[in-house]
Short mmCIF file of all heavy atoms in Angstrom, two decimals:
data_model
loop_
_atom_site.label_atom_id
_atom_site.label_comp_id
_atom_site.label_asym_id
_atom_site.label_seq_id
_atom_site.Cartn_x
_atom_site.Cartn_y
_atom_site.Cartn_z
N VAL A 544 -57.25 -86.78 -19.31
CA VAL A 544 -56.72 -88.02 -19.89
C VAL A 544 -56.23 -87.72 -21.30
O VAL A 544 -56.87 -87.03 -22.06
CB VAL A 544 -57.80 -89.14 -19.93
CG1 VAL A 544 -57.31 -90.34 -20.71
CG2 VAL A 544 -58.21 -89.55 -18.54
N ILE A 545 -55.07 -88.28 -21.62
CA ILE A 545 -54.53 -88.21 -22.97
C ILE A 545 -54.14 -89.63 -23.40
O ILE A 545 -53.49 -90.33 -22.64
CB ILE A 545 -53.27 -87.29 -23.08
CG1 ILE A 545 -53.66 -85.87 -22.67
CG2 ILE A 545 -52.74 -87.33 -24.50
CD1 ILE A 545 -52.49 -84.86 -22.68
N VAL A 546 -54.57 -90.02 -24.58
CA VAL A 546 -54.16 -91.30 -25.14
C VAL A 546 -53.10 -91.07 -26.20
O VAL A 546 -53.20 -90.15 -26.98
CB VAL A 546 -55.37 -92.05 -25.77
CG1 VAL A 546 -54.88 -93.19 -26.64
CG2 VAL A 546 -56.31 -92.55 -24.68
N LEU A 547 -52.05 -91.87 -26.12
CA LEU A 547 -50.94 -91.72 -27.05
C LEU A 547 -50.77 -93.04 -27.76
O LEU A 547 -50.61 -94.08 -27.11
CB LEU A 547 -49.67 -91.38 -26.28
CG LEU A 547 -48.45 -91.04 -27.12
CD1 LEU A 547 -48.57 -89.67 -27.72
CD2 LEU A 547 -47.20 -91.10 -26.25
N GLU A 548 -50.77 -93.04 -29.11
CA GLU A 548 -50.59 -94.23 -29.88
C GLU A 548 -49.41 -94.09 -30.79
O GLU A 548 -49.33 -93.11 -31.54
CB GLU A 548 -51.84 -94.51 -30.74
CG GLU A 548 -52.90 -95.33 -30.04
CD GLU A 548 -54.11 -95.58 -30.93
OE1 GLU A 548 -54.10 -95.12 -32.10
OE2 GLU A 548 -55.04 -96.20 -30.46
N VAL A 549 -48.49 -95.05 -30.73
CA VAL A 549 -47.30 -94.96 -31.55
C VAL A 549 -47.15 -96.25 -32.39
O VAL A 549 -47.30 -97.34 -31.86
CB VAL A 549 -46.02 -94.81 -30.67
CG1 VAL A 549 -44.80 -94.59 -31.55
CG2 VAL A 549 -46.20 -93.67 -29.70
N SER A 550 -46.86 -96.10 -33.68
CA SER A 550 -46.55 -97.28 -34.49
C SER A 550 -45.37 -96.96 -35.39
O SER A 550 -45.23 -95.82 -35.86
CB SER A 550 -47.75 -97.74 -35.30
OG SER A 550 -48.08 -96.74 -36.24
N GLY A 551 -44.51 -97.94 -35.59
CA GLY A 551 -43.35 -97.79 -36.47
C GLY A 551 -42.28 -96.88 -35.87
O GLY A 551 -42.32 -96.54 -34.67
N GLY A 552 -41.35 -96.45 -36.67
CA GLY A 552 -40.30 -95.57 -36.22
C GLY A 552 -39.05 -96.28 -35.76
O GLY A 552 -39.11 -97.46 -35.40
N SER A 553 -37.96 -95.57 -35.72
CA SER A 553 -36.68 -96.21 -35.42
C SER A 553 -36.37 -96.13 -33.92
O SER A 553 -35.49 -96.83 -33.42
CB SER A 553 -35.58 -95.53 -36.22
OG SER A 553 -35.63 -94.12 -35.99
N LYS A 554 -37.09 -95.25 -33.19
CA LYS A 554 -36.74 -95.07 -31.79
C LYS A 554 -37.67 -95.90 -30.90
O LYS A 554 -38.84 -96.12 -31.24
CB LYS A 554 -36.87 -93.60 -31.40
CG LYS A 554 -35.73 -92.80 -31.99
CD LYS A 554 -35.98 -91.32 -31.83
CE LYS A 554 -34.91 -90.55 -32.55
NZ LYS A 554 -35.34 -89.21 -32.96
N ASP A 555 -37.17 -96.26 -29.76
CA ASP A 555 -37.94 -97.02 -28.80
C ASP A 555 -38.86 -96.06 -28.02
O ASP A 555 -38.39 -95.27 -27.21
CB ASP A 555 -37.00 -97.76 -27.84
CG ASP A 555 -37.83 -98.51 -26.78
OD1 ASP A 555 -39.05 -98.66 -26.97
OD2 ASP A 555 -37.23 -98.92 -25.75
N PRO A 556 -40.18 -96.10 -28.32
CA PRO A 556 -41.06 -95.12 -27.71
C PRO A 556 -41.10 -95.21 -26.17
O PRO A 556 -41.29 -94.21 -25.51
CB PRO A 556 -42.44 -95.42 -28.29
CG PRO A 556 -42.33 -96.69 -29.00
CD PRO A 556 -40.89 -96.98 -29.24
N ARG A 557 -40.89 -96.41 -25.64
CA ARG A 557 -40.91 -96.56 -24.18
C ARG A 557 -39.83 -95.68 -23.56
O ARG A 557 -40.08 -94.94 -22.59
CB ARG A 557 -40.60 -97.99 -23.78
CG ARG A 557 -41.70 -98.96 -24.18
CD ARG A 557 -41.14 -100.41 -24.19
NE ARG A 557 -41.78 -101.19 -25.23
CZ ARG A 557 -42.79 -102.04 -25.01
NH1 ARG A 557 -43.28 -102.18 -23.80
NH2 ARG A 557 -43.36 -102.68 -26.01
N ALA A 558 -38.63 -95.73 -24.13
CA ALA A 558 -37.53 -94.97 -23.59
C ALA A 558 -37.77 -93.47 -23.76
O ALA A 558 -37.57 -92.68 -22.82
CB ALA A 558 -36.23 -95.38 -24.31
N VAL A 559 -38.18 -93.07 -24.95
CA VAL A 559 -38.41 -91.67 -25.24
C VAL A 559 -39.46 -91.07 -24.28
O VAL A 559 -39.25 -90.00 -23.73
CB VAL A 559 -38.85 -91.45 -26.70
CG1 VAL A 559 -39.28 -90.00 -26.98
CG2 VAL A 559 -37.75 -91.85 -27.67
N LEU A 560 -40.55 -91.81 -24.07
CA LEU A 560 -41.61 -91.30 -23.20
C LEU A 560 -41.19 -91.22 -21.76
O LEU A 560 -41.42 -90.25 -21.06
CB LEU A 560 -42.88 -92.16 -23.35
CG LEU A 560 -43.62 -92.02 -24.67
CD1 LEU A 560 -44.71 -93.07 -24.78
CD2 LEU A 560 -44.22 -90.61 -24.75
N GLN A 561 -40.52 -92.30 -21.32
CA GLN A 561 -40.10 -92.36 -19.94
C GLN A 561 -39.19 -91.18 -19.63
O GLN A 561 -39.31 -90.51 -18.61
CB GLN A 561 -39.38 -93.70 -19.69
CG GLN A 561 -39.17 -93.98 -18.20
CD GLN A 561 -40.48 -93.77 -17.37
OE1 GLN A 561 -41.52 -94.32 -17.71
NE2 GLN A 561 -40.39 -93.00 -16.32
N GLN A 562 -38.27 -90.95 -20.59
CA GLN A 562 -37.26 -89.92 -20.40
C GLN A 562 -37.90 -88.51 -20.38
O GLN A 562 -37.53 -87.69 -19.56
CB GLN A 562 -36.27 -90.02 -21.56
CG GLN A 562 -34.99 -89.26 -21.30
CD GLN A 562 -34.07 -89.39 -22.52
OE1 GLN A 562 -34.52 -89.51 -23.65
NE2 GLN A 562 -32.78 -89.39 -22.27
N SER A 563 -38.88 -88.26 -21.30
CA SER A 563 -39.36 -86.90 -21.39
C SER A 563 -40.55 -86.62 -20.48
O SER A 563 -40.59 -85.54 -19.89
CB SER A 563 -39.72 -86.57 -22.85
OG SER A 563 -40.59 -87.55 -23.36
N ILE A 564 -41.50 -87.54 -20.41
CA ILE A 564 -42.67 -87.28 -19.60
C ILE A 564 -42.40 -87.64 -18.17
O ILE A 564 -42.85 -86.98 -17.22
CB ILE A 564 -43.91 -88.01 -20.14
CG1 ILE A 564 -44.19 -87.56 -21.56
CG2 ILE A 564 -45.13 -87.79 -19.27
CD1 ILE A 564 -45.26 -88.33 -22.27
N GLY A 565 -41.68 -88.77 -18.00
CA GLY A 565 -41.25 -89.21 -16.68
C GLY A 565 -42.40 -89.32 -15.72
O GLY A 565 -43.39 -89.99 -16.02
N ASP A 566 -42.30 -88.68 -14.56
CA ASP A 566 -43.36 -88.81 -13.58
C ASP A 566 -44.19 -87.56 -13.46
O ASP A 566 -44.75 -87.25 -12.42
CB ASP A 566 -42.76 -89.22 -12.21
CG ASP A 566 -41.61 -88.30 -11.85
OD1 ASP A 566 -41.42 -87.30 -12.55
OD2 ASP A 566 -40.94 -88.60 -10.85
N SER A 567 -44.32 -86.78 -14.57
CA SER A 567 -45.16 -85.60 -14.54
C SER A 567 -46.66 -85.98 -14.55
O SER A 567 -47.50 -85.15 -14.31
CB SER A 567 -44.87 -84.70 -15.76
OG SER A 567 -45.47 -85.23 -16.92
N ALA A 568 -46.95 -87.25 -14.86
CA ALA A 568 -48.32 -87.72 -14.87
C ALA A 568 -48.34 -89.24 -14.66
O ALA A 568 -47.29 -89.87 -14.73
CB ALA A 568 -48.99 -87.40 -16.19
N THR A 569 -49.55 -89.78 -14.38
CA THR A 569 -49.64 -91.25 -14.24
C THR A 569 -49.79 -91.84 -15.61
O THR A 569 -50.63 -91.45 -16.41
CB THR A 569 -50.91 -91.60 -13.42
OG1 THR A 569 -50.92 -90.75 -12.27
CG2 THR A 569 -50.86 -93.04 -12.99
N MET A 570 -48.91 -92.84 -15.93
CA MET A 570 -49.00 -93.47 -17.25
C MET A 570 -49.34 -94.92 -17.09
O MET A 570 -48.74 -95.68 -16.36
CB MET A 570 -47.64 -93.34 -17.96
CG MET A 570 -47.36 -91.95 -18.47
SD MET A 570 -45.78 -91.83 -19.30
CE MET A 570 -46.03 -92.84 -20.71
N PHE A 571 -50.39 -95.35 -17.89
CA PHE A 571 -50.76 -96.74 -17.99
C PHE A 571 -50.32 -97.25 -19.33
O PHE A 571 -50.51 -96.59 -20.33
CB PHE A 571 -52.25 -96.94 -17.82
CG PHE A 571 -52.80 -96.51 -16.50
CD1 PHE A 571 -53.45 -95.29 -16.32
CD2 PHE A 571 -52.66 -97.36 -15.39
CE1 PHE A 571 -53.94 -94.91 -15.11
CE2 PHE A 571 -53.18 -96.96 -14.14
CZ PHE A 571 -53.79 -95.73 -14.02
N GLY A 572 -49.78 -98.46 -19.38
CA GLY A 572 -49.41 -99.01 -20.66
C GLY A 572 -47.93 -99.33 -20.77
O GLY A 572 -47.23 -99.26 -19.76
N PRO A 573 -47.47 -99.70 -21.96
CA PRO A 573 -48.26 -99.72 -23.17
C PRO A 573 -49.07 -101.00 -23.38
O PRO A 573 -48.64 -102.06 -22.98
CB PRO A 573 -47.20 -99.63 -24.27
CG PRO A 573 -46.01 -100.31 -23.67
CD PRO A 573 -46.06 -100.07 -22.19
N ALA A 574 -50.28 -100.84 -23.96
CA ALA A 574 -51.05 -101.97 -24.44
C ALA A 574 -50.74 -102.07 -25.92
O ALA A 574 -50.61 -101.09 -26.61
CB ALA A 574 -52.53 -101.72 -24.23
N GLU A 575 -50.53 -103.33 -26.40
CA GLU A 575 -50.22 -103.50 -27.81
C GLU A 575 -51.46 -103.94 -28.55
O GLU A 575 -52.13 -104.87 -28.10
CB GLU A 575 -49.08 -104.50 -27.97
CG GLU A 575 -48.52 -104.43 -29.35
CD GLU A 575 -47.17 -105.19 -29.50
OE1 GLU A 575 -46.71 -105.71 -28.46
OE2 GLU A 575 -46.65 -105.25 -30.61
N ARG A 576 -51.76 -103.29 -29.65
CA ARG A 576 -52.92 -103.68 -30.44
C ARG A 576 -52.67 -103.33 -31.88
O ARG A 576 -52.45 -102.20 -32.24
CB ARG A 576 -54.16 -102.96 -29.93
CG ARG A 576 -55.44 -103.48 -30.58
CD ARG A 576 -56.64 -102.98 -29.86
NE ARG A 576 -56.73 -101.51 -29.89
CZ ARG A 576 -57.74 -100.85 -29.35
NH1 ARG A 576 -58.69 -101.48 -28.73
NH2 ARG A 576 -57.79 -99.56 -29.46
N GLY A 577 -52.73 -104.36 -32.70
CA GLY A 577 -52.52 -104.18 -34.16
C GLY A 577 -51.22 -103.46 -34.48
O GLY A 577 -51.19 -102.58 -35.32
N GLY A 578 -50.14 -103.85 -33.78
CA GLY A 578 -48.83 -103.26 -34.06
C GLY A 578 -48.65 -101.86 -33.48
O GLY A 578 -47.61 -101.24 -33.69
N LYS A 579 -49.68 -101.38 -32.78
CA LYS A 579 -49.59 -100.02 -32.16
C LYS A 579 -49.38 -100.15 -30.70
O LYS A 579 -50.00 -100.99 -30.07
CB LYS A 579 -50.86 -99.23 -32.44
CG LYS A 579 -50.97 -98.65 -33.82
CD LYS A 579 -52.28 -97.87 -33.89
CE LYS A 579 -52.55 -97.41 -35.33
NZ LYS A 579 -53.94 -96.98 -35.49
N LEU A 580 -48.53 -99.29 -30.17
CA LEU A 580 -48.41 -99.21 -28.70
C LEU A 580 -49.28 -98.06 -28.21
O LEU A 580 -49.26 -96.98 -28.80
CB LEU A 580 -46.93 -98.94 -28.33
CG LEU A 580 -45.98 -100.13 -28.63
CD1 LEU A 580 -44.57 -99.70 -28.28
CD2 LEU A 580 -46.37 -101.35 -27.83
N ARG A 581 -49.98 -98.33 -27.13
CA ARG A 581 -50.98 -97.36 -26.69
C ARG A 581 -50.79 -97.06 -25.19
O ARG A 581 -50.79 -97.97 -24.37
CB ARG A 581 -52.35 -97.96 -26.95
CG ARG A 581 -53.51 -97.03 -26.72
CD ARG A 581 -54.78 -97.86 -27.05
NE ARG A 581 -55.90 -97.33 -26.34
CZ ARG A 581 -56.88 -96.65 -26.93
NH1 ARG A 581 -56.85 -96.45 -28.22
NH2 ARG A 581 -57.89 -96.19 -26.23
N TRP A 582 -50.61 -95.81 -24.87
CA TRP A 582 -50.49 -95.38 -23.48
C TRP A 582 -51.70 -94.55 -23.06
O TRP A 582 -52.31 -93.88 -23.88
CB TRP A 582 -49.26 -94.51 -23.27
CG TRP A 582 -47.98 -95.24 -23.16
CD1 TRP A 582 -47.37 -95.64 -21.99
CD2 TRP A 582 -47.12 -95.65 -24.22
NE1 TRP A 582 -46.17 -96.28 -22.28
CE2 TRP A 582 -46.00 -96.30 -23.65
CE3 TRP A 582 -47.18 -95.55 -25.62
CZ2 TRP A 582 -44.96 -96.85 -24.39
CZ3 TRP A 582 -46.14 -96.09 -26.35
CH2 TRP A 582 -45.06 -96.73 -25.74
N LEU A 583 -51.97 -94.63 -21.78
CA LEU A 583 -53.04 -93.80 -21.20
C LEU A 583 -52.34 -92.92 -20.17
O LEU A 583 -51.68 -93.37 -19.26
CB LEU A 583 -54.01 -94.72 -20.48
CG LEU A 583 -55.29 -94.09 -20.01
CD1 LEU A 583 -56.17 -93.83 -21.25
CD2 LEU A 583 -56.03 -95.03 -19.08
N ILE A 584 -52.43 -91.60 -20.39
CA ILE A 584 -51.79 -90.66 -19.49
C ILE A 584 -52.89 -89.91 -18.74
O ILE A 584 -53.80 -89.39 -19.35
CB ILE A 584 -50.90 -89.67 -20.30
CG1 ILE A 584 -49.88 -90.45 -21.09
CG2 ILE A 584 -50.25 -88.65 -19.39
CD1 ILE A 584 -49.27 -89.69 -22.22
N GLN A 585 -52.78 -89.90 -17.42
CA GLN A 585 -53.87 -89.40 -16.61
C GLN A 585 -53.34 -88.49 -15.49
O GLN A 585 -52.24 -88.72 -14.98
CB GLN A 585 -54.59 -90.60 -15.98
CG GLN A 585 -56.01 -90.33 -15.59
CD GLN A 585 -56.68 -91.56 -15.00
OE1 GLN A 585 -56.37 -92.68 -15.40
NE2 GLN A 585 -57.56 -91.36 -14.05
N GLY A 586 -54.07 -87.44 -15.18
CA GLY A 586 -53.67 -86.56 -14.10
C GLY A 586 -54.71 -85.51 -13.83
O GLY A 586 -55.62 -85.29 -14.65
N ARG A 587 -54.57 -84.81 -12.71
CA ARG A 587 -55.53 -83.74 -12.39
C ARG A 587 -55.33 -82.58 -13.37
O ARG A 587 -56.27 -81.94 -13.76
CB ARG A 587 -55.31 -83.25 -10.96
CG ARG A 587 -55.59 -84.28 -9.93
CD ARG A 587 -56.94 -84.08 -9.24
NE ARG A 587 -57.32 -85.30 -8.56
CZ ARG A 587 -58.56 -85.74 -8.43
NH1 ARG A 587 -59.55 -85.04 -9.01
NH2 ARG A 587 -58.82 -86.85 -7.81
N ASP A 588 -54.08 -82.30 -13.69
CA ASP A 588 -53.74 -81.18 -14.57
C ASP A 588 -52.55 -81.60 -15.41
O ASP A 588 -51.46 -81.80 -14.91
CB ASP A 588 -53.40 -79.96 -13.71
CG ASP A 588 -52.99 -78.76 -14.56
OD1 ASP A 588 -53.05 -78.86 -15.80
OD2 ASP A 588 -52.58 -77.73 -13.98
N LEU A 589 -52.78 -81.75 -16.69
CA LEU A 589 -51.72 -82.27 -17.58
C LEU A 589 -51.04 -81.14 -18.38
O LEU A 589 -50.37 -81.46 -19.37
CB LEU A 589 -52.30 -83.33 -18.54
CG LEU A 589 -52.83 -84.62 -17.91
CD1 LEU A 589 -53.36 -85.55 -18.99
CD2 LEU A 589 -51.75 -85.33 -17.11
N SER A 590 -51.17 -79.88 -17.94
CA SER A 590 -50.60 -78.84 -18.79
C SER A 590 -49.09 -78.97 -18.92
O SER A 590 -48.53 -78.75 -20.00
CB SER A 590 -50.99 -77.46 -18.22
OG SER A 590 -50.81 -77.40 -16.84
N ARG A 591 -48.41 -79.34 -17.83
CA ARG A 591 -46.95 -79.53 -17.92
C ARG A 591 -46.61 -80.74 -18.78
O ARG A 591 -45.67 -80.69 -19.63
CB ARG A 591 -46.34 -79.71 -16.53
CG ARG A 591 -44.85 -79.38 -16.48
CD ARG A 591 -44.38 -79.36 -15.03
NE ARG A 591 -44.06 -80.68 -14.52
CZ ARG A 591 -42.89 -81.26 -14.68
NH1 ARG A 591 -41.92 -80.65 -15.39
NH2 ARG A 591 -42.63 -82.44 -14.21
N THR A 592 -47.40 -81.81 -18.62
CA THR A 592 -47.16 -83.01 -19.42
C THR A 592 -47.33 -82.73 -20.92
O THR A 592 -46.55 -83.22 -21.73
CB THR A 592 -48.17 -84.11 -19.00
OG1 THR A 592 -48.09 -84.27 -17.57
CG2 THR A 592 -47.88 -85.43 -19.66
N ARG A 593 -48.33 -81.89 -21.26
CA ARG A 593 -48.55 -81.52 -22.67
C ARG A 593 -47.27 -80.89 -23.24
O ARG A 593 -46.86 -81.21 -24.33
CB ARG A 593 -49.62 -80.43 -22.75
CG ARG A 593 -50.97 -80.95 -22.65
CD ARG A 593 -51.93 -79.84 -23.05
NE ARG A 593 -53.23 -80.43 -23.14
CZ ARG A 593 -53.97 -80.69 -22.09
NH1 ARG A 593 -53.58 -80.32 -20.88
NH2 ARG A 593 -55.11 -81.30 -22.25
N GLN A 594 -46.72 -79.98 -22.45
CA GLN A 594 -45.49 -79.26 -22.89
C GLN A 594 -44.37 -80.30 -23.13
O GLN A 594 -43.68 -80.23 -24.14
CB GLN A 594 -45.09 -78.29 -21.77
CG GLN A 594 -44.31 -77.11 -22.27
CD GLN A 594 -45.03 -76.36 -23.39
OE1 GLN A 594 -46.24 -76.15 -23.32
NE2 GLN A 594 -44.30 -76.02 -24.43
N LEU A 595 -44.19 -81.24 -22.19
CA LEU A 595 -43.16 -82.21 -22.31
C LEU A 595 -43.43 -83.18 -23.48
O LEU A 595 -42.52 -83.63 -24.14
CB LEU A 595 -43.04 -83.02 -21.02
CG LEU A 595 -42.68 -82.20 -19.76
CD1 LEU A 595 -42.86 -83.05 -18.49
CD2 LEU A 595 -41.23 -81.69 -19.85
N MET A 596 -44.73 -83.42 -23.72
CA MET A 596 -45.09 -84.34 -24.82
C MET A 596 -44.71 -83.81 -26.16
O MET A 596 -44.43 -84.60 -27.10
CB MET A 596 -46.62 -84.61 -24.78
CG MET A 596 -47.01 -85.69 -23.78
SD MET A 596 -48.79 -85.91 -23.82
CE MET A 596 -48.96 -86.88 -25.32
N ARG A 597 -44.75 -82.48 -26.32
CA ARG A 597 -44.36 -81.92 -27.62
C ARG A 597 -42.99 -82.40 -28.01
O ARG A 597 -42.76 -82.79 -29.16
CB ARG A 597 -44.38 -80.41 -27.56
CG ARG A 597 -45.73 -79.83 -27.30
CD ARG A 597 -45.62 -78.32 -27.11
NE ARG A 597 -45.79 -77.59 -28.36
CZ ARG A 597 -46.96 -77.39 -28.92
NH1 ARG A 597 -48.05 -77.89 -28.42
NH2 ARG A 597 -47.03 -76.73 -30.07
N GLY A 598 -42.05 -82.41 -27.07
CA GLY A 598 -40.71 -82.87 -27.37
C GLY A 598 -40.69 -84.34 -27.72
O GLY A 598 -40.10 -84.73 -28.74
N ALA A 599 -41.38 -85.13 -26.93
CA ALA A 599 -41.37 -86.57 -27.15
C ALA A 599 -42.03 -86.92 -28.47
O ALA A 599 -41.47 -87.72 -29.27
CB ALA A 599 -42.11 -87.27 -26.00
N VAL A 600 -43.17 -86.33 -28.73
CA VAL A 600 -43.89 -86.63 -29.99
C VAL A 600 -43.06 -86.19 -31.20
O VAL A 600 -42.93 -86.92 -32.18
CB VAL A 600 -45.27 -85.96 -29.98
CG1 VAL A 600 -45.97 -86.04 -31.33
CG2 VAL A 600 -46.18 -86.53 -28.90
N GLY A 601 -42.45 -85.00 -31.08
CA GLY A 601 -41.58 -84.51 -32.14
C GLY A 601 -40.44 -85.49 -32.45
O GLY A 601 -40.20 -85.85 -33.59
N ARG A 602 -39.81 -85.95 -31.39
CA ARG A 602 -38.68 -86.87 -31.59
C ARG A 602 -39.12 -88.22 -32.21
O ARG A 602 -38.48 -88.76 -33.07
CB ARG A 602 -37.99 -87.14 -30.25
CG ARG A 602 -36.56 -86.53 -30.19
CD ARG A 602 -36.04 -86.50 -28.80
NE ARG A 602 -36.72 -85.50 -28.00
CZ ARG A 602 -36.95 -85.56 -26.72
NH1 ARG A 602 -36.56 -86.65 -26.03
NH2 ARG A 602 -37.55 -84.59 -26.08
N LEU A 603 -40.28 -88.71 -31.74
CA LEU A 603 -40.78 -89.96 -32.29
C LEU A 603 -41.11 -89.83 -33.78
O LEU A 603 -40.84 -90.70 -34.59
CB LEU A 603 -42.00 -90.46 -31.50
CG LEU A 603 -41.69 -90.93 -30.06
CD1 LEU A 603 -42.98 -91.17 -29.31
CD2 LEU A 603 -40.86 -92.21 -30.09
N ARG A 604 -41.70 -88.68 -34.11
CA ARG A 604 -42.08 -88.48 -35.54
C ARG A 604 -40.81 -88.32 -36.38
O ARG A 604 -40.79 -88.77 -37.54
CB ARG A 604 -42.99 -87.24 -35.68
CG ARG A 604 -44.39 -87.50 -35.13
CD ARG A 604 -45.41 -86.52 -35.67
NE ARG A 604 -46.75 -86.80 -35.12
CZ ARG A 604 -47.51 -85.91 -34.51
NH1 ARG A 604 -47.10 -84.67 -34.37
NH2 ARG A 604 -48.68 -86.25 -34.01
#
Side-chain angles (χ1 to χ4, degrees):
Chain A
V544 172
I545 298 177
V546 166
L547 186 75
E548 272 180 1
V549 185
S550 65
S553 54
K554 287 170 186 155
D555 177 15
R557 293 161 213 265
V559 173
L560 288 171
Q561 193 49 51
Q562 196 181 31
S563 52
I564 300 172
D566 50 7
S567 76
T569 314
M570 286 179 66
F571 298 101
E575 195 167 357
R576 189 168 61 177
K579 280 182 189 164
L580 291 176
R581 187 180 156 107
W582 280 266
L583 192 71
I584 301 161
Q585 204 179 326
R587 295 258 164 215
D588 177 5
L589 295 180
S590 45
R591 202 170 83 84
T592 308
R593 281 192 172 80
Q594 206 55 43
L595 299 169
M596 277 180 77
R597 297 174 90 76
V600 171
R602 248 166 288 149
L603 291 170
R604 289 201 180 126

